[in-house]
Every structure is written in C-alpha cells, then in structure tokens.
Amino acid sequence: AQSVTQLDSQVPVFEEAPVELRCNYSSSVSVYLFWYVQYPNQGLQLLLKYLSGSTLVKGINGFEAEFNKSQTSFHLRKPSVHISDTAEYFCAVTRDYNQGGKLIFGQGTELSVKP
Amino acid sequence: DTGVSQDPRHKITKRGQNVTFRCDPISEHNRLYWYRQTLGQGPEFLTYFQNEAQLEKSRLLSDRFSAERPKGSFSTLEIQRTEQGDSAMYLCASSLAGEGNTIYFGEGSWLTVV
C-alpha cells in the first residue's frame, strides 16, 4: 500500500523568502505524484504533477517540485513567496492511474506567509 | 465549463437524521470520486465511479453511506442515521479516465452533525 508523509505540519515564512514543503512517500511500485493547494473553505486545486520524464516539474503560481526516486521524495519549492500563497498544501500519490487513479493524500502542510 | 459543483455547501443536521449531497462533475468527465476531509487532515478516499458503475469503495464507507451515479452524470452521497463522527467536508472530484488526466475537485460540502 502507498502512504504519504508530509514532514512539516506548519511552515511560517516571511514574504519574498524561499520555501520548501517536504513530502516523502512509500510504495513498492512506481507511483504518480501530485501537489494540491487548498485555500480556506475551498476545494483543492492542482499545483503540479509528476507522471514520468523530467524529475523537475514546474507548476502554477511559480511552484516547482523535484521527484527523487532514491529518496522517495517529492518536495515542493518556491523561490519567493507572496502573502497570497498562504494556504494548506497537500502532497498526494496514486499507484495506477489507469485503474482508478484514486489519490492518497498526506496530512497537509499549512504555509503561513507573513509580511 | 463551470468546474465541479457541489450542493449544499453547508449542512447542519441533528444526530440520527439523513443527509444527501449532490455533485455535478465537469460535463465530459467519466470518472467521479468522493472524498472525506476532517479538520487538520488530508482528504480520504471514499468511493469512485466510472460512468454509472461504482468500481471501488473504501472501508471508510460504512453501510450508512451510499453513493449513486444513476445516469453517469451527477452523483449523490447519502448518509443515513448521521453520527457526530460524520462531521467533515465531503469533497467530490471528477476526471477523464486515462493516464495523465488531472482530477478536479469541487469546493466541498461541509457537514456538521449536532
């Protein structure tokens, strides 16, 4: 079975500083990886996804993530954050996209950007 | 394209009552998912449909929960004899079947059982 661990429950950071949100996964088979963002009282919006190919994935809003198979990690980064990036971020994994594609989520990381 | 639509957005009900949530997926999407999210947690998979067929159900989906997608378009999630532990946000999502296709989420339906 797959599982996802987000190593930080809360990450406070000042505006314009860089940020990294950490995600590790466990799976005995190849997986597909995702980062979603959730603003207060809203649903989830896809930031980026890794299916195959280049291990550096670029997403919306200036975010990027790097897939590291040997370390089973998929950390999310942004070089300079804005106040508007304050939200909950979820890392997710799915094993077999063609067999349903259900997502297994981590517990989330609350990013708080301070002026 | 208005995205995934859920109704109602908020529901407060008394313990023991039945509640029903509706989800309208993106129109051409043949897969539809239900997830549950409690405060401070990530979403947990409940069930999914491909067209009108319910292909997988989580163990989280007790016999008080039933989901339907009768014509392969909208879906309903009914909770019978609600309990306080059912209080959560119920998220619907949809996608096209196939590798690489994004799963799009609705804004969720908040349930509070008092």
Side-chain angles (χ1 to χ4, degrees):
Chain A
Q2 308 93 58
S3 67
V4 177
T5 302
Q6 293 185 239
L7 298 164
D8 307 292
S9 59
Q10 294 180 319
V11 173
V13 64
F14 287 107
E15 194 174 19
E16 297 184 6
V19 71
E20 178 179 81
L21 306 184
R22 298 181 293 167
C23 172
N24 284 90
Y25 68 92
S26 66
S27 176
S28 58
V29 297
S30 296
V31 295
Y32 304 114
L33 295 153
F34 307 80
W35 276 99
Y36 280 83
V37 60
Q38 186 175 35
Y39 298 102
N41 299 316
Q42 295 188 21
L44 284 79
Q45 179 182 7
L46 181 70
L47 278 177
L48 47 80
K49 61 185 176 183
Y50 172 78
L51 302 180
S52 64
S54 173
T55 57
L56 183 62
V57 180
K58 294 190 183 296
I60 62 171
N61 300 341
F63 284 93
E64 64 181 31
E66 186 159 16
F67 171 59
N68 188 320
K69 188 175 181 179
S70 62
Q71 296 187 0
T72 60
S73 68
F74 190 55
H75 300 334
L76 180 71
R77 302 184 183 103
K78 186 170 182 177
S80 176
V81 294
H82 302 130
I83 298 287
S84 59
D85 292 323
T86 295
E88 190 88 17
Y89 291 80
F90 292 97
C91 182
V93 62
T94 187
R95 177 176 65 88
D96 190 337
Y97 215 92
N98 284 323
Q99 296 301 321
K102 70 179 184 185
L103 296 166
I104 307 299
F105 286 88
Q107 292 194 321
T109 296
E110 182 182 349
L111 175 64
S112 176
V113 181
K114 304 177 186 304
Chain B
D1 180 2
T2 58
V4 179
S5 177
Q6 294 189 242
D7 183 70
R9 292 291 316 280
H10 302 274
K11 178 73 176 179
I12 300 174
T13 191
K14 292 183 178 178
R15 186 166 54 92
Q17 297 294 305
N18 299 344
V19 296
T20 300
F21 299 110
R22 176 182 170 120
C23 172
D24 288 273
I26 294 172
S27 58
E28 67 270 22
H29 285 183
N30 51 5
R31 280 191 182 157
L32 187 147
Y33 307 82
W34 285 100
Y35 286 79
R36 181 173 69 186
Q37 185 179 19
T38 53
L39 284 175
Q41 302 295 318
E44 298 172 296
F45 170 80
L46 292 178
T47 188
Y48 94 95
F49 294 82
Q50 182 150 321
N51 300 313
E52 65 275 10
Q54 188 173 18
L55 296 186
E56 187 173 348
K57 292 195 292 185
S58 163
R59 286 172 293 176
L60 293 174
L61 212 65
S62 76
D63 56 5
R64 295 185 298 105
F65 288 70
S66 62
E68 295 182 346
R69 195 184 184 197
K71 297 182 179 179
S73 57
F74 75 91
S75 175
T76 57
L77 177 68
E78 182 183 17
I79 309 173
Q80 296 181 325
R81 304 180 304 281
T82 53
E83 302 173 356
Q84 287 189 324
D86 297 331
S87 295
M89 181 160 70
Y90 292 85
L91 289 161
C92 179
S94 71
S95 74
L96 284 169
E99 188 168 359
N101 290 326
T102 297
I103 297 176
Y104 294 89
F105 283 81
E107 295 196 333
S109 291
W110 276 105
L111 172 65
T112 302
V113 182
V114 297

